[in-house]
Amino acid sequence: MKWRIAGLFFALAVCLCALPAPALAAKSVPYIDGDGNSKTIFEATEITSEHTQLTQGWYVVYGDVTISERIEVTGDDPTTCYVSLILADGCTLTASKGIGVEEGASLFIYGQSEDEGTMGKLYASSSSSDAAIGGDFNLYSHTNGPITINGGRIEARSSGSGSAIGGGWNAPGGPVAINDGVVSAYATGDGAAIGGGSNAYGYGRGGTVEIAGGSVTAISAKGAAIGGGEGNSDHGTLTIAPKKSRAIFASSGDDAEHARALAGSPFMSGTSVQVPIDEMGRKYFSCSTTKLLSVSHLDENGVERTRTDCLPVVAGDEQWKDGWYAVDSNVSVERRIVVDGDVNLILTDGKALNVKGGIEVAKGNSLTIYAQSTDEATMGSLTATTRNSGFADCAAIGGSAAEDTADAGTIAIHGGAVTADNAGGYSRAAGIGGGFWNPDGSADKADVGKGGTVTVTGGVVTAFGGWNAAGIGGGQQSDGGSLAVTGGVVNVTGGKFFGAAIGGGEGGDGGTVLVEGGVVTATTVYGSDSVSDAAAIGGGGNTDGLAAGNGADVTITGGTVIAQTYEGVSAVGAGRSLASTGKTDPGTLKISPAQGQVIAVVAGADEKGAASVDGSPFTAEQQIVDLVQSASYFRCASGGIDDVTRISAQPKGATVDEGSAATFEVSASGTGTLSYRWQQRSGADGEWTDIEGANGASYTTPATTADMDGMQFRCVVTGGLGIAASDPATLTVIAKPVFKISLDPVDVDFGKIVEGSLQGQVQPVTVTISNTGNRPLEIQVPQSEAFELELEASSGQLDPGDAVEISIVPKDGLDAGAYSERVVISGVNGQSTATAALELSASVVHDLAKVEAKPATCTDDGYDEYWACEACDKVFGDADGVEEIKLEDFVIPSIGHVWGEDGRCTVCGALDPDFAPDPGDDGDGDTDPSDQSGDDGDNDSNPSDQADGDGQKDSSAAGNVDGDKRSLGETGDGLMLPAMVLCALAAASIAAGAFASRRLRRQ
Ligand SMILES: [Zn+2]
Ligand SMILES: [Zn+2]
């Protein structure tokens, strides 16, 4: 490079060059020199279409200038004769027949801007034996003078026998140096794109090409892209030596599609790489320059440091080689990035890198990730997945799906929000750790796919395992590696269905886990749609009949560790399967607090059911080895002794009136955020249950009811260091007074009772009075009209829940009739009264006896049949005692005698005392038929009739008195005889009226 440096320092030196042609002078022209510095030349010659010869001095292209003849750059000593051409921004020089650079001259080309869109352009072409830029055709195989491109957009095309940039026909390439700019060289003829011309007599070898920056594309048809002309295998040298703070990516090949990165690419500033022979001579070459970033980061100890040699991560990245990379913009990479060697990655604040094919860190390589801050809101982020990317079975960060790259390498995370997510697809690789490689489909453990070495000292790491793979650890069928956490937050979820969160994939062993700090949460709980058989920390699960993985060797000296699995699977320990291979080794869990520290440990079936392990918290003097590892939930946290979660004030019992709410309060102390969970139980023997939504330091019940009396409440407080449950506090509820009595039965019907004495006729009925309220009552029984109510107790005092009886009978001597009475029983307590009504009824009927009918006779009244009550002497015309009658109205009057001619009654035969016998009468009383003819039937009283009076019965049917009276037994009479004498003629009509009267009453 001696010539170039000399050129920069002695550009203005006077030398023995041909004088330039008189031209326009431009003053104060800025340009960017070969080191990227902005400079100004105070006077330069403005190029016109007439400039076909350029001699020593400064030239500038303004506007669009086309020179149709070949431009010759001439001089007699390339170390002193410099022709400097500035391509002003936005301007174009078209050299239709190219630019010849004589062996004794040096051509420098400058731009004014780094922006590709604005920088000035130079189009140079040649279809003859001349190079587009470089040597002219000559018979002596003279090479071209040095060509140095410091900027501008240069396009050189050769379609003849010369090169695009370099030698002419049958001439080797002269020195070409590219420090910046965008250079495109196309040779469609026999020459190289950059290098030698046509190899006519063996002179078309490559020259010395140095690339220190810029973007270079060289494409040739027959010759090399950079090197010799057609058929010449001497390609000269290509040295890539990036300038300060630059890196160059370079690739070559037979064409653009098959180009591959040159070994060592990117080439870093400060290093000079001579491209190996076997990379030379290809038809395609491309390189681009990247500015190295100066980026600060926090190292593993939290100390801020700055790297000045960071390559920016860009969307096209496919490989990261040894060195430093920085994410200084939001970048999304569609492919998988392969880490080759020891790569450091800085996530700058506020920027996100999303790698959709994940990042391969295979065994033997390392990726170390840093951030610039510890603030989760601002720290940079990296999200790596392989889901739906075409990179299934590759870890999001770690091993890939190939035999030699499946084992993970070394992955260290010192900061940033790093998410490695392999969940949700069919990738069988870990989130962070092993890939999956098992081409023969064996169910045995895979030979590769192990978890690698993972270290976390800071940041927030989130990892999800793929199908049957660990979150951090092995791929499916592979063992976990080692995980050491000294800081940061690590949230890990094992993959369905057999992947541990931290440890083995399906059937894989747990590896080793060391936690000295930070917060590690490991879970295999995906939700309700699946159940994992893997330990959260430890071995992977396995299918029935295949062995699950052994547990990990876990050591916890600090930090917080939470591990949770499904019921029946160890949180820390071995995986689960129904294998017949015997018990799987649970590994070890060693809890050993650092000096001055305590570690609180809880374990249980789940978070809520976790109970402290005996002896928790552990102090530094204690070391707990081989804890039982059967719990599905495990949690531990470390801190100072004062950091342990404790109840500082227990909740107090509360007494409230029914309907009021009760409030319980707890105070707790300890490090970290304290979370509260109130529980209740029905009483001292009940089961504690969580109260939904009761998550504060105090809890207020709903309005109490009487049956809440005796309930107990407590608060479970979870802090950064352990869980503490308060003592139970008891609720006392004072019930509202209830005054209430009830009766059984409430209806008492004695039914039919016969009037008169009830002695032996009616049994007493018992009614129970219960105090169904919650206050004592004085029972009061009222008097009744028709019933006797008697309290069967010495006093009416009745306590809640107690009962007393009353005995009830109808009163003695009730008249016949229906009795229905509502009796209200009272219970009295002070001003309060409870009442209950009792319906009493009875039907009292007459005590009836039938009196047979008695017909009337001639002399005595008769009567019809009737019924008489023996109790009240009332008489009734019916058997039911409904029709009460007056007996005198019921009398059938006597009918009177009917005197015959013989003076005797034709009915009863009685002798008419007034009867005076006829003289002819023998007085024997017989009836003379002759009498009948004289009888007018008018019942007249013949004085002759009165002669009868002997009282003897006469049954003669021949009496002359008609009537329906039969002859009846006659008792002695005679008392009424004097009146009857006078009434004889009216007797028949009187009798008829009596009967009419009876008929009416019966109707
Ligand atoms: Zn009666
Ligand atoms: Zn008579």
Side-chain angles (χ1 to χ4, degrees), residues 9 30 68 116 124 135 201 321 392 414 443 493 541 603 679-680 700 733 752 801 807-808 810 901 903 927 954 967 975:
F9 281 91
S68 52
E116 248 181 78
Y201 299 105
K321 297 174 70 71
H414 299 310
T493 305
Q679 297 181 315
Q680 64 184 21
T700 299
V733 178
K752 264 185 186 169
S807 175
I808 305 170
E901 291 177 357
T927 300
D954 188 342
S967 176
L975 295 176

Side-chain angles (χ1 to χ4, degrees), residues 755 816 845-848 869-874 876:
E755 190 178 12
V845 298
H846 295 287
D847 186 7
L848 293 177
C869 177
E870 293 179 355
C872 63
D873 295 333
K874 288 179 179 173
F876 300 90

Side-chain angles (χ1 to χ4, degrees), residues 613-669:
V613 171
D614 265 358
S616 168
F618 307 106
T619 64
E621 289 68 38
Q622 295 173 300
Q623 289 197 349
I624 307 303
V625 181
D626 295 336
L627 279 173
V628 175
Q629 295 160 312
S630 59
S632 294
Y633 176 84
F634 171 84
R635 183 180 193 278
C636 77
S638 67
I641 193 74
D642 292 336
D643 294 330
V644 175
T645 306
R646 286 191 180 85
I647 303 296
S648 48
Q650 300 286 352
K652 294 185 175 67
T655 299
V656 296
D657 290 329
E658 181 185 356
S660 299
T663 296
F664 300 94
E665 291 179 333
V666 71
S667 291
S669 64

Side-chain angles (χ1 to χ4, degrees), residues 857-859 895-899 904-910 970 973:
T857 65
C858 298
T859 54
I895 56 176
H897 299 289
V898 180
W899 303 118
R904 288 190 178 271
C905 178
T906 59
V907 178
C908 65
E970 185 77 295
D973 58 22

